[in-house]
Amino acid sequence: MSMTNETGMKRPFTDGQDLLPGLSIDPVIFGFHEGQLKILLLRFRGMDAFALPGGFVHLSEDVDEAAARVLYERTGLREIYLDQFYTFGKRDRRDAGTQQTLLQGNGVELPNTHWLLQRFVSIGYYALIDFTKANPTPDPLSDSCGWHDLATLPPLIFDHTAMVYKALETLRKNLDDKLIGFALLPETFTMTDLQQLYETILGKPLQRTNFQRKILSLGILERLEKKMSGGAHKAPYLYRFISPATP
Amino acid sequence: MSMTNETGMKRPFTDGQDLLPGLSIDPVIFGFHEGQLKILLLRFRGMDAFALPGGFVHLSEDVDEAAARVLYERTGLREIYLDQFYTFGKRDRRDAGTQQTLLQGNGVELPNTHWLLQRFVSIGYYALIDFTKANPTPDPLSDSCGWHDLATLPPLIFDHTAMVYKALETLRKNLDDKLIGFALLPETFTMTDLQQLYETILGKPLQRTNFQRKILSLGILERLEKKMSGGAHKAPYLYRFISPATP
DNA sequence: TAGGTATTGTATCTTTTTGATACAATAATA
DNA sequence: TATTATTGTATCAAAAAGATACAATACCTA
């Protein structure tokens, strides 16, 4: 979980009455750009470490809705692939020192009994978005919200690093049978784009010809016109993902 | 989540001060007996519907520890395969009517502000146990705790039916790559036992000879002496599961 | 006690899937 | 217009999965 909330700077800390107590959500928001898997991270004012762009759950919303709302608040995107992957409930997952630093950085001092300083359990979600469409937006406690290469992750607060790797593990497991990779690409893409994405997620090279055969055999791609001006060579086809449910 | 707690009948409802507010855990405890997958269900006093044997999380424990504790309290077993599968967070997942019935059945009346009547998010766990070793034990609000065939599940309270099927789905997915099926069998078993288990979990018949070849090729079984007196035919070997980590 | 029976263990064949290699097609460039 | 780097497909080979055949055998029973 993070110190993120959605109330704006004038009321950085509500009394928490309209929130589920002790519960947060932490979305791992994946993007893909220039051959690299990336995730969205916040940096809180006055802190070195980064954090997942978390949030809390209103009494009036489902937990899933809260996750979608936070995703929208940080990216401006709705109707995104978003799925729960794990719930983090270690007793001491949030160390007091980090919490203090975080509050001080924002010039806030809270009594130990404040709801924000109690024990929190956090529900991890992962989202797959089209990198080019996202509009990363910091939250009230942060001075930045931006993309970071998964390959060179900076230090994260609390157990957020473990969250990221657990999310990646889930993404890898679901890549083939849920066919979710396409959510990370623009509407149309070449077979090479798709292969690069798969190679990056799986962390291993794939054989071009066999990858093409395999993907095409799934019958989930519509072949469009060719993509010209890609270089001094044969032009590749563009493809569009078609849901297996809509044949 | 369920109304189960662990405080004993004399104090059926604590003030909740030592518990994580609004958070419960619900274990789906699987067993296998006579070719049937079974789960442990409670019946609350004066109610028709059954429930998963849930519990709450103490401030002093990790959520995982709470799940293991509840599992122990209902079965007498420790060191059991136990894994989280999903967290249920729909706003209206617990309907007020059922809660009232449940309390009335136990002769309890609580104000609407009582912690037990607030909104709850529940973390689902699934456990795989050796049917022959379990000692099902009701909790203070229940008059029974027993096995029920998954194939003929009675009505369950709240969203517990959905929980069970989500747990089953997770079990199916993990059956092959986590090699967890063996946790449902006794220490030693025949290949036919194992095949029946797989067929029941997966819900489809498997070819005997190919199943045997596949399983043996994994190198995770130790072949023991033969099991005699199984009938007027060739006696099958008994096997023991050996962890792939311990070769 | 010996032959019948139902199952078990393994071998073998076929089919499908995956992996590796070869090669013709071609859009831009020089 | 020839060159180049890449793309699309075909065709091998190897491995995995599916199907079938059959010998081995523990127990029953006649």
Side-chain angles (χ1 to χ4, degrees):
Chain A
M1 112 89 194
S2 80
M3 290 311 180
T4 309
N5 71 15
E6 59 297 313
T7 54
M9 271 310 279
K10 280 139 198 165
R11 301 184 304 143
F13 301 111
T14 67
D15 58 7
Q17 287 292 357
D18 60 335
L19 301 177
L20 291 197
L23 191 73
S24 59
I25 55 149
D26 276 305
V28 179
I29 304 172
F30 288 101
F32 184 68
H33 189 59
E34 292 178 348
Q36 289 286 324
L37 255 190
K38 294 168 185 283
I39 61 171
L40 262 194
L41 295 177
L42 297 179
R43 171 133 65 175
F44 294 117
R45 259 180 280 284
M47 279 202 81
D48 290 333
F50 289 79
L52 292 171
F56 304 116
V57 183
H58 289 282
L59 287 171
S60 60
E61 24 173 43
D62 294 344
V63 173
D64 284 352
E65 289 171 353
R69 171 178 53 76
V70 172
L71 177 60
Y72 172 70
E73 287 166 357
R74 295 292 139 259
T75 65
L77 300 177
R78 296 191 201 269
E79 308 275 324
I80 292 301
Y81 182 88
L82 177 66
D83 203 8
Q84 192 186 300
F85 67 91
Y86 197 74
T87 296
F88 297 84
K90 282 234 174 291
R91 189 188 62 174
D92 301 316
R93 48 178 293 274
R94 306 205 306 165
D95 69 287
T98 302
Q99 294 188 63
Q100 283 308 326
T101 312
L102 208 158
L103 292 173
Q104 283 163 16
N106 280 274
V108 179
E109 195 150 340
L110 296 177
N112 279 342
T113 56
H114 191 274
W115 65 272
L116 197 49
L117 298 176
Q118 305 314 301
R119 176 173 167 188
F120 268 78
V121 165
S122 195
I123 306 178
Y125 280 79
Y126 73 109
L128 307 179
I129 73 178
D130 176 353
F131 180 90
T132 62
K133 288 198 181 139
N135 177 25
T137 309
D139 79 351
L141 295 184
S142 319
D143 51 21
S144 80
C145 176
W147 293 104
H148 292 256
D149 276 13
L150 204 56
T152 57
L153 220 52
L156 306 186
I157 65 168
F158 302 150
D159 51 358
H160 287 200
T161 302
M163 287 181 173
V164 170
Y165 288 117
K166 184 92 177 173
L168 177 60
E169 188 189 319
T170 306
L171 172 57
R172 279 184 180 156
K173 271 193 192 147
N174 290 340
L175 188 58
D176 278 325
D177 54 83
K178 289 198 180 174
L179 299 173
I180 53 186
F182 306 97
L184 288 163
L185 293 175
E187 177 79 10
T188 66
F189 48 85
T190 66
M191 195 57 78
T192 304
D193 293 337
L194 187 61
Q195 184 183 344
Q196 268 192 24
L197 173 63
Y198 269 67
E199 287 179 336
T200 307
I201 293 176
L202 298 174
K204 68 177 181 190
L206 301 171
Q207 198 126 348
R208 182 184 62 88
T209 59
N210 296 334
F211 178 79
Q212 172 138 325
R213 178 181 60 191
K214 178 73 178 168
I215 296 287
L216 288 181
S217 78
L218 297 176
I220 53 170
L221 293 187
E222 180 187 5
R223 180 177 281 184
L224 308 172
E225 76 283 7
K226 290 191 170 187
K227 181 193 182 186
M228 296 303 180
S229 253
H233 51 74
K234 186 174 179 180
Y237 287 104
L238 285 172
Y239 293 92
R240 183 206 317 276
F241 176 66
I242 49 173
S243 149
T246 336
Chain B
M1 111 91 194
S2 79
M3 291 310 178
T4 310
N5 70 16
E6 58 298 316
T7 54
M9 271 309 279
K10 280 139 197 164
R11 298 185 304 143
F13 302 111
T14 67
D15 56 8
Q17 286 292 354
D18 60 333
L19 301 177
L20 290 197
L23 192 73
S24 60
I25 55 148
D26 276 305
V28 179
I29 304 173
F30 288 100
F32 183 68
H33 190 59
E34 292 178 347
Q36 289 285 325
L37 255 190
K38 293 166 186 282
I39 61 172
L40 263 193
L41 295 177
L42 298 179
R43 171 131 66 173
F44 294 117
R45 259 180 280 282
M47 280 202 80
D48 290 332
F50 289 78
L52 291 172
F56 304 115
V57 182
H58 289 281
L59 287 171
S60 60
E61 13 171 56
D62 295 343
V63 172
D64 284 352
E65 288 171 354
R69 170 178 54 75
V70 172
L71 177 61
Y72 172 71
E73 287 167 357
R74 295 294 140 259
T75 65
L77 300 177
R78 294 192 202 270
E79 309 274 325
I80 291 302
Y81 182 88
L82 177 66
D83 204 7
Q84 191 186 301
F85 66 92
Y86 197 74
T87 296
F88 297 83
K90 281 234 174 290
R91 190 187 62 173
D92 301 315
R93 48 179 293 276
R94 307 205 305 165
D95 69 287
T98 303
Q99 295 187 63
Q100 284 307 327
T101 312
L102 207 158
L103 292 172
Q104 282 163 14
N106 280 274
V108 180
E109 195 148 339
L110 296 177
N112 278 341
T113 56
H114 192 274
W115 65 272
L116 197 50
L117 296 178
Q118 306 313 301
R119 176 173 167 189
F120 269 78
V121 165
S122 194
I123 306 178
Y125 281 78
Y126 73 108
L128 307 179
I129 74 177
D130 176 353
F131 180 90
T132 61
K133 288 197 180 139
N135 177 26
T137 310
D139 80 351
L141 295 185
S142 318
D143 51 20
S144 81
C145 176
W147 293 105
H148 292 256
D149 277 12
L150 204 54
T152 58
L153 219 53
L156 306 186
I157 64 168
F158 303 149
D159 51 358
H160 286 201
T161 303
M163 288 181 173
V164 170
Y165 288 118
K166 184 92 177 174
L168 178 60
E169 188 189 317
T170 306
L171 171 57
R172 278 182 182 156
K173 271 194 191 146
N174 290 339
L175 189 59
D176 278 326
D177 55 82
K178 289 197 180 173
L179 299 172
I180 52 186
F182 306 96
L184 288 163
L185 293 176
E187 176 80 10
T188 66
F189 48 86
T190 67
M191 195 57 77
T192 303
D193 293 336
L194 188 61
Q195 185 183 344
Q196 268 191 24
L197 173 63
Y198 268 66
E199 287 179 337
T200 307
I201 293 176
L202 298 175
K204 66 177 182 189
L206 301 171
Q207 196 126 346
R208 183 184 62 87
T209 59
N210 296 335
F211 178 79
Q212 172 138 324
R213 178 181 59 191
K214 176 73 178 170
I215 295 286
L216 288 181
S217 78
L218 297 176
I220 53 170
L221 293 188
E222 180 188 5
R223 181 175 280 183
L224 308 171
E225 76 283 7
K226 289 189 170 186
K227 181 193 183 188
M228 296 303 182
S229 252
H233 51 73
K234 185 174 178 179
Y237 287 105
L238 286 172
Y239 293 91
R240 183 205 317 276
F241 175 66
I242 49 173
S243 150
T246 338

